[in-house]
């Protein structure tokens, strides 16, 4: 069993909100994540919802501000929130908020100096699920995934690359096409290199164009989000799912911005939407 | 009209979460507070719930972690969260977390060097309500008050000293008797001086013993709260309301601690409880 250190536990909404740390083989660093386990019958295994965070965030932002616990307690869903990058003094970094620490973009970096630790795809797709399955009462046959902004990009691309793994996929204000926005161009050039063909597996719209499909999709996007026009570009996802004939519900929410005030407003909706698809 | 500076507004749960600053005559400093205004009909005036925070907090803790907006939106209640003390370089302070900045205890200090700025009773009882009534669509005939820990003490004592002002009063893990706990003894000695008779107007149990009454009262207290036995002493409030024959619901919540994980769990309950009493 992979060792897990408990950093804190607090009773909340009838369950336990914990924060944990472990030595990651994928990133070669300690990694911290949070898990909310609702009250449940002894021996029961619960569906799990993965939440991937956005630029500059750690597990803590959604854990403190996400307002997911009441809904997860009601639905009986375990909620897991990983960090967004490796951390530590020996991890390469950049001065910018949108590259380096806090900005792992859920890729396996191939370029120096990033390749040594920035293996967030492997961490989120393989290592953390194995760890969570060992330590928490999860039913790995019932997984959903969601995320915000860069984490919405992570949720969409991970689900598109792993058909059948997730019964439900949603996102809050996701980056839908790193090939077509400054955040994505900067990060993928830095982590993956200049060959844009290699970026396609990290681009939700390109993955859909290349044939990947989701069973269904829920996206909420605020109309007052300052990143919408240049970085998030929800219209590209709308066009991709239309071309593919893929079922989706993409909602523009009037007056909402990019903050946790937006996320927390629609969190219960998303948890309920996942809950419907994760039952039984 | 007293001038108000808007520091931020974010759409949330259909309403607006704002943070504001103003020059306070009571404290002689700038003071920051947050207000959530739910969506409402044009011209409507809504009931207002005051939330007083605990030691070390500012308006930000409950604003980010309190999980009150969904419930306030549902109930149509405006939620106001002030700071816990004056702030600024020329404000006296103490190294301890439980005295000085972040620890105003909702008193009017009479002792030096505190008297110059630590006038939080006057600020919360008089100045801030006048300001809020000028700038927000509140119905001041329908006010409720609640708070956490030191702020629970504030809510109880302010309501007990102002009969008829609040239709509803509740508290999360309140300090119920500063006369009988180390936090209270330290703070009141420092702010008010050694004459313990002068402390009684800042002690919920003493106010009740001296004849003050609330129409009703809801208190939640976690059993795993590390401050319960020595500082909060819920049993003293239970005894005081029993002696007085005052209606109250004082609930011990198994396994909950003193954190916002506890507060956020029971916040919707409290908002609904206030909502019932603030209707119409």
């Amino acid at each position: 069993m992979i060792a897990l250190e408990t950093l804190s536990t607090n009773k909340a909404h009838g369950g336990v909100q914990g924060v944990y740390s472990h030595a990651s083989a994928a990133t070669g660093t300690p990694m911290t994540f949070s898990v909310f386990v609702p009250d449940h019958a002894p021996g029961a295994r619960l569906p799990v919802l993965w939440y991937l965070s956005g630029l500059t965030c750690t597990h803590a932002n959604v854990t403190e501000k996400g307002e997911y616990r009441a809904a997860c307690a009601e639905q009986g869903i375990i909620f897991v929130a990983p960090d967004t990058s490796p951390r530590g003094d020996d991890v390469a970094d950049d001065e910018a908020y949108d590259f380096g620490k806090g900005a792992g973009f859920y890729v396996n970096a191939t370029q120096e100096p990033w390749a040594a630790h920035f293996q967030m795809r492997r961490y989120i797709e393989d290592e953390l699920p194995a760890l969570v399955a060992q330590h928490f009462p999860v039913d790995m046959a019932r997984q959903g995934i969601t995320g915000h902004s860069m984490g919405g990009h992570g949720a969409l691309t991970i689900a598109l690359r792993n058909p059948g793994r997730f019964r439900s996929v949603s996102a809050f204000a996701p980056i839908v096409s790193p090939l077509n926005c400054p955040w994505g161009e900067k990060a993928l050039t830095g982590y993956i290199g200049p060959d844009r063909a290699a970026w396609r597996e990290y681009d939700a719209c390109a993955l859909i164009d290349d044939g990947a499909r989701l069973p269904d999709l829920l996206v909420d996007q605020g109309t007052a989000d300052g990143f919408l026009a240049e970085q998030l570009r929800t219209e590209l996802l709308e066009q991709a799912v239309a071309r593919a004939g893929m079922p989706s519900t993409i909602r523009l929410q009037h007056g909402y911005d990019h903050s946790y005030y937006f996320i927390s407003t629609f969190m219960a909706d998303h948890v309920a939407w996942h809950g419907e698809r994760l039952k039984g």
Side-chain angles (χ1 to χ4, degrees), chain A residues 181-205:
Chain A
C181 71
W183 279 341
E185 298 206 349
K186 177 179 180 179
L188 294 187
T189 302
Y191 295 136
I192 310 294
D195 175 11
R196 295 171 70 96
W199 299 8
R200 295 184 72 81
E201 59 186 323
Y202 297 116
D203 184 296
C205 292

Side-chain angles (χ1 to χ4, degrees), chain A residues 13 39-40 69 71-73 146 161 163 175 200 205 210-211 222 236 249 256-258 269:
Chain A
H13 290 282
D39 190 27
H40 58 282
R69 280 177 289 273
C72 285
T146 187
R161 285 195 308 264
I175 299 170
R200 295 184 72 81
C205 292
D210 293 348
L236 297 178
T249 303
Y256 286 91
D257 60 25
H258 201 62
D269 260 19

Side-chain angles (χ1 to χ4, degrees), chain A residues 47 109 142 190 211 243 263 275:
Chain A
R142 292 186 288 156
R243 281 193 298 270
I263 299 169

Side-chain angles (χ1 to χ4, degrees), chain A residues 1-5 20-24 31-33 35 50 80 123 126-138 140:
Chain A
M1 211 178 215
I2 308 165
L4 196 62
E5 183 188 357
Y20 308 92
S21 178
H22 68 109
S24 165
M31 290 294 287
T32 300
F33 62 100
V35 181
W50 303 87
V80 183
Y123 175 66
D126 302 330
E127 187 178 22
L128 188 60
L131 183 74
V132 165
Q134 283 187 337
H135 286 277
F136 298 91
V138 290
M140 295 298 272

Side-chain angles (χ1 to χ4, degrees), chain A residues 209-258:
Chain A
D209 282 346
D210 293 348
R213 294 290 180 269
L214 301 173
D216 198 355
L217 172 63
L218 173 64
V219 170
D220 278 309
Q221 172 63 55
T223 63
D225 185 329
F227 300 113
L228 174 53
E230 193 188 13
Q231 303 282 10
L232 306 174
R233 304 197 62 189
T234 315
E235 79 281 3
L236 297 178
L237 181 63
E238 290 174 322
Q239 293 160 11
V241 299
R243 281 193 298 270
M246 198 184 93
S248 68
T249 303
I250 300 175
R251 308 188 294 200
L252 292 180
Q253 301 289 1
H254 182 73
Y256 286 91
D257 60 25
H258 201 62

